[in-house]
Amino acid sequence: MSTTAELLKGAAELFPDEVVTSAHVRHFELPLGAGRFALITLDNGFDHTKPTTFGPASLANLNTAIDQVEAEAANGEIVGVGITGKPFIFAVGADLKGVELLKKHEEALAIGKGGHDVFKRLSALAVPTFAYYNGAAMGGGVEVGLHCSYRTVSKALPAFSLPEVFLGLVPGWGGCAILPNLIGAEKAVSVIIENSLNQNRQLKGKQVFELGIADAIFEGADFLEQSLLWTAGVLKGDVTVERPEVDRGEAWDQAVAKGRAVADSKVHGAAPAAYRALDIIEAAKDGDLQKGFDAEDQALADLIMGGELRSGIYAFNLVQKRGKRPAGAPDKNLARPVTKVGVVGAGLMASQLALLFLRRLEVPVVLTDIDQERVDKGVGYVHGEIDKLLGKGRINQDKANRLKGLVSGVLDKAAGFADADFIIEAVFEEMGVKQQVFAEVEAVAPAHAILATNTSSLSVSEMASKLKHPERVVGFHFFNPVAILPLLEIVRGEKTDDASLATAFGVAKKLKKTAVLTKDAPAFVVNRILTRFMGEIQNIIDEGTPVETAEKAVEPLGLPMSPLVLLELVGPAIGLHVSETLNRAFPERFKVSPNLKAVVEAGKRGFYVYNAENGFKPELDPEVAALLKQGDVVLTEEQARDRVLDAVAQEIGLMLEEGVVAEAQDIDLCLITGAGWPFHLGGITPYLDREGVSERVNGKRFLAQGVASVPA
């Protein structure tokens, strides 16, 4: 028994629930009389909805298949070996459920070594090897192909990536070492670092070929047949594969430097994975692959035993699993059908909502507003966006015509809403205005219609309190930009009934949004946490700490943008409004900043100005600087960071006590999907636990040891 087999046997015992991938070997004669060929097919026995992964038992199966073809190749019985996947799936990498179970550095090292030991046997065979990327390929699935002599890719391939850095790992089975030596450091850094840190961007088949990762590309319909025909040509010498020379000079160093700049801009040194991957790419410049593999093993083991990866896996599971089965949602069979949607308001937010309902539900959508000009503008916006989709080839002319025909605008609510099943308001954020709108809608809407509010901070119960049927009012809070951010906070008012709530969740699912149930508490989840977070930064500035120091204090969190840039995006007036709402509810924790008030009253769009001379970097607007009235308490970055994190930990602790959401997991899911907070923080609570803030502030962790952290 080889050491690899022993390694994998030990690892398999730690992971009894693995969905095991088999590696079937079959033989046939290649076309053109090229000779007898062995094809290994990776298949876990399920359809494409359960993608093929590599856990220890799966790697052991591939190892056994390679034992067989190695002997056949050595005996001259075959001319080549191919590897491919089941329909629609090549393989999507290591089984992360197994990674979560690892408790010791040596166990983690065994996983890295096991993968390398199996995969590198493919490049050591006595005959050429071929990978046929027939479907989705990620992580270890991409890497097993990199160890082959040649690769083909299907034009229909929908997703191809090395997503490890996104999760807090490095491509650890050859990706960091082989890819730059195959396609050059610049392209490799783009795939391994940039795509990962840009929300795990995927490549399509055509891009895989254009980057030089695959040597040939074929249509999806007869992909394997064409790949085998091409293979026969390669083996007979009729097809020559030419790959450009890799630049191992200054271009390599520049690519690594660019990768570090990208990592700095995205995670500010706060998460180690990108930097470890870049170190390996940098060292791979001399082409010594084994040295690279050893470095990958070490990096993989170190990262598996670190908090960021556990947070990354936790965040990934929240989005993939919890996000699809919302905690506390009523029985979906209670949901009523929605065949027509009404939107009160025709401003930008309302128009974005109309477009989303139209595209996802494909039912009639009617907008209404206070004058014809606004109504026309709202409908015009929706038409314009449909034309853009048509121009990009995302929809065809028939669908564009149909969608445009489904959207209309009216001034008379009675005419527009008499047969609507779901009516959402997106009007001015003031209680009196919203109560009036709902009273008007209730008078004309059918008895079963859901009345939804897109309020960001006001009480849903109070909004419904003057209606005859408050039980059908539900909070339906979207995040801007509506088309991009997945979160939808669904708010249950005091009187909201199960059927209305179930219908809201049913609609959210059709809209492809991540729905989280929240109690009717001031500002719900995301805005309450962000307002406390930004409010504490504002307090620190008001007390006397320079703006730059306060902003830099939270850079180590690696947030998508700095707090004051976020304020600009939200709009200072909206930020002020939410802080006033929360100040009324919790005056001891939420102050209304006089400086923020001054900025809003002066009509400023934010704290910063951007000039071409300094490359559009944010600079404090001199007019804003003149408005600021500061005290004389100056904190260091570290002191400021502690204060901000303590405030956030306190607020989350109070929200959980109040039952705003079911569990800490829902708060993390909200911050990841509604505010773009990074996976390596796990949202926020794993980070607060890891840094000791939770215990310092609340006397206990938010999550049990082993959830988003290394098991005890």
Side-chain angles (χ1 to χ4, degrees):
M1 196 192 245
S2 71
T3 52
T4 304
E6 284 165 2
L7 264 181
L8 294 172
K9 187 167 180 287
E13 285 164 8
L14 294 171
F15 185 21
D17 299 328
E18 177 184 350
V19 176
V20 179
T21 298
S22 54
H24 307 288
V25 183
R26 61 192 169 108
H27 299 86
F28 45 79
E29 293 295 323
L30 283 170
L32 312 176
R36 191 165 181 260
F37 190 74
L39 181 67
I40 299 171
T41 304
L42 303 169
D43 191 347
N44 61 4
F46 292 91
D47 69 10
H48 66 278
T49 58
K50 199 162 212 171
T52 306
T53 52
F54 292 120
S58 308
L59 285 172
N61 285 342
L62 180 56
N63 201 40
T64 304
I66 296 172
D67 284 341
Q68 181 186 336
V69 296
E70 184 179 59
E72 292 167 354
N75 295 335
E77 294 166 25
I78 52 174
V79 293
V81 174
I83 186 164
T84 193
K86 66 183 184 182
F88 310 110
I89 305 286
F90 182 78
V92 298
D95 191 324
L96 293 175
K97 292 195 296 297
V99 172
E100 287 175 88
L101 302 171
L102 302 174
K103 296 182 183 179
K104 299 190 188 108
H105 195 273
E106 57 267 30
E107 292 169 357
L109 201 58
I111 289 292
K113 263 189 75 51
H116 273 130
D117 288 353
V118 175
F119 289 1
K120 71 187 184 192
R121 294 181 67 196
L122 288 165
S123 55
L125 293 179
V127 293
T129 48
F130 299 80
Y132 307 128
Y133 291 124
N134 64 302
M138 294 170 204
V142 168
E143 289 169 305
V144 70
L146 293 178
H147 285 267
C148 295
S149 327
Y150 303 97
R151 285 155 295 283
T152 67
V153 68
S154 164
K155 257 186 201 166
L157 181 141
F160 182 104
S161 63
L162 289 168
E164 287 82 355
V165 166
F166 174 68
L167 291 171
L169 274 175
V170 297
W173 286 341
C176 291
I178 300 172
L179 194 63
N181 280 291
L182 176 69
I183 61 172
E186 188 185 356
K187 291 176 181 170
V189 165
S190 165
V191 174
I192 294 170
I193 306 297
E194 281 188 82
N195 288 357
S196 274
L197 293 179
N198 278 315
Q199 294 301 316
N200 192 18
R201 193 191 294 143
Q202 301 292 318
L203 299 169
K204 301 265 191 283
K206 187 165 172 271
Q207 295 164 296
V208 174
F209 173 64
E210 286 167 355
L211 282 165
I213 300 171
D215 303 303
I217 182 166
F218 301 109
E219 292 292 346
D222 57 352
F223 170 69
L224 193 56
E225 290 83 343
Q226 292 300 322
S227 292
L228 292 170
L229 191 60
W230 180 84
T231 298
V234 171
L235 291 170
K236 290 192 74 174
D238 301 340
V239 173
T240 311
V241 172
E242 288 182 11
R243 296 183 185 136
E245 187 76 23
V246 169
D247 187 333
R248 297 180 186 281
E250 205 175 310
W252 194 291
D253 302 332
Q254 282 171 348
V256 173
K258 184 187 170 199
R260 291 193 196 284
V262 169
D264 286 344
S265 74
K266 292 286 185 183
V267 299
H268 307 282
Y275 303 97
R276 291 296 292 268
L278 287 161
D279 290 344
I280 301 167
I281 294 168
E282 186 172 36
K285 187 175 168 182
D286 61 5
D288 182 343
L289 292 182
Q290 188 52 52
K291 190 176 81 183
F293 297 163
D294 293 341
E296 286 175 348
D297 287 341
Q298 274 307 323
L300 208 56
D302 292 348
L303 292 166
I304 286 173
M305 299 318 290
E308 286 83 3
L309 169 70
R310 305 299 172 132
S311 295
I313 295 175
Y314 162 83
F316 185 75
N317 288 337
L318 286 182
V319 172
Q320 295 298 323
K321 294 177 185 162
R322 194 179 184 95
K324 292 182 172 59
R325 287 191 289 278
D331 181 350
K332 61 175 183 285
N333 295 321
L334 296 171
R336 292 193 282 261
V338 172
T339 59
K340 183 177 179 182
V341 173
V343 182
V344 186
L348 183 59
M349 189 67 176
S351 305
Q352 286 184 63
L353 295 181
L355 179 70
L356 180 70
F357 278 93
L358 184 66
R359 286 194 64 202
R360 296 280 188 243
L361 271 59
E362 294 190 22
V363 299
V365 174
V366 60
L367 292 124
T368 172
D369 212 317
I370 53 174
D371 59 52
Q372 193 63 45
E373 191 186 336
R374 291 182 200 216
V375 169
D376 293 345
K377 195 176 170 192
V379 173
Y381 168 86
V382 177
H383 281 196
E385 291 301 308
I386 292 167
D387 286 336
K388 282 184 199 166
L389 292 168
L390 179 65
K392 289 177 185 163
R394 302 268 296 278
I395 55 173
N396 61 24
Q397 187 67 58
D398 279 356
K399 179 131 187 207
N401 294 346
R402 195 167 81 249
L403 290 175
K404 283 184 182 178
L406 285 170
V407 66
S408 61
V410 293
L411 281 176
D412 179 5
K413 291 188 181 71
F417 296 161
D419 55 349
D421 308 301
F422 192 98
I423 300 161
I424 184 165
E425 70 72 25
V427 299
F428 187 64
E429 191 72 349
E430 186 170 295
M431 186 56 77
V433 177
K434 290 187 186 281
Q435 284 179 333
Q436 187 192 335
V437 161
F438 271 161
E440 290 169 10
V441 170
E442 189 179 46
V444 298
H448 69 273
I450 305 298
L451 308 185
T453 168
N454 183 45
T455 181
S456 58
S457 60
L458 300 175
S459 166
V460 175
S461 305
E462 191 183 335
M463 219 177 285
S465 63
K466 296 182 178 174
L467 298 178
K468 292 188 193 73
H469 293 286
E471 69 278 0
R472 56 177 173 160
V473 176
V474 63
F476 216 60
H477 179 220
F478 289 88
F479 288 79
N480 221 343
V482 170
I484 294 168
L485 288 173
L487 181 65
L488 182 52
E489 290 177 342
I490 296 187
V491 186
R492 179 170 209 154
E494 280 168 26
K495 301 262 172 73
T496 309
D497 64 20
D498 281 356
S500 301
L501 203 59
T503 307
F505 274 101
V507 169
K509 191 169 185 172
K510 284 191 177 143
L511 294 176
K512 298 189 177 167
K513 291 295 179 189
T514 300
V516 174
L517 178 63
T518 148
K519 188 175 154 184
D520 186 17
F524 317 124
V525 180
V526 173
N527 283 345
R528 180 161 164 187
I529 293 169
L530 288 186
T531 305
R532 185 77 200 273
F533 173 76
M534 293 177 44
E536 202 54 47
I537 288 167
Q538 193 71 58
N539 293 342
I540 288 164
I541 293 168
D542 293 353
E543 288 164 19
T545 299
V547 169
E548 193 187 348
T549 307
E551 284 264 85
K552 283 190 77 165
V554 293
E555 262 188 11
L557 294 176
L559 299 177
M561 61 190 76
S562 80
L564 292 182
V565 172
L566 176 62
L567 181 69
E568 215 164 281
L569 187 73
V570 170
I574 292 174
L576 179 65
H577 172 77
V578 178
S579 75
E580 287 169 344
T581 303
L582 282 158
N583 169 259
R584 285 194 293 276
F586 311 114
E588 68 290 352
R589 298 195 310 281
F590 289 87
K591 296 191 179 113
V592 176
S593 163
N595 282 323
L596 179 58
K597 215 168 188 171
V599 167
V600 172
E601 281 165 3
K604 303 302 287 183
R605 280 185 52 248
F607 276 64
Y608 292 130
V609 285
Y610 302 84
N611 299 311
E613 298 92 79
N614 74 342
F616 297 103
K617 286 197 178 79
E619 273 184 6
L620 189 61
D621 182 340
E623 290 177 22
V624 170
L627 291 172
L628 293 182
K629 292 187 167 55
Q630 292 181 282
D632 52 11
V633 178
V634 181
L635 302 183
T636 64
E637 281 178 31
E638 198 175 337
Q639 288 169 325
R641 184 163 55 249
D642 282 350
R643 249 189 63 184
V644 172
L645 291 176
D646 285 4
V648 170
Q650 183 194 31
E651 204 57 40
I652 293 171
L654 291 165
M655 288 166 74
L656 293 171
E657 274 175 31
E658 290 166 30
V660 174
V661 287
E663 290 181 290
Q665 280 87 334
D666 293 313
I667 285 185
D668 293 322
L669 183 57
C670 284
L671 284 172
I672 293 161
T673 56
W677 281 35
F679 268 48
H680 69 260
L681 296 183
I684 186 63
T685 69
Y687 179 82
L688 296 172
D689 285 350
R690 193 161 75 227
E691 298 293 311
V693 181
S694 316
E695 293 198 32
R696 180 170 78 224
V697 175
N698 300 323
K700 60 182 182 190
R701 297 169 62 95
F702 286 114
L703 302 166
Q705 186 74 39
V707 178
S709 54
V710 179

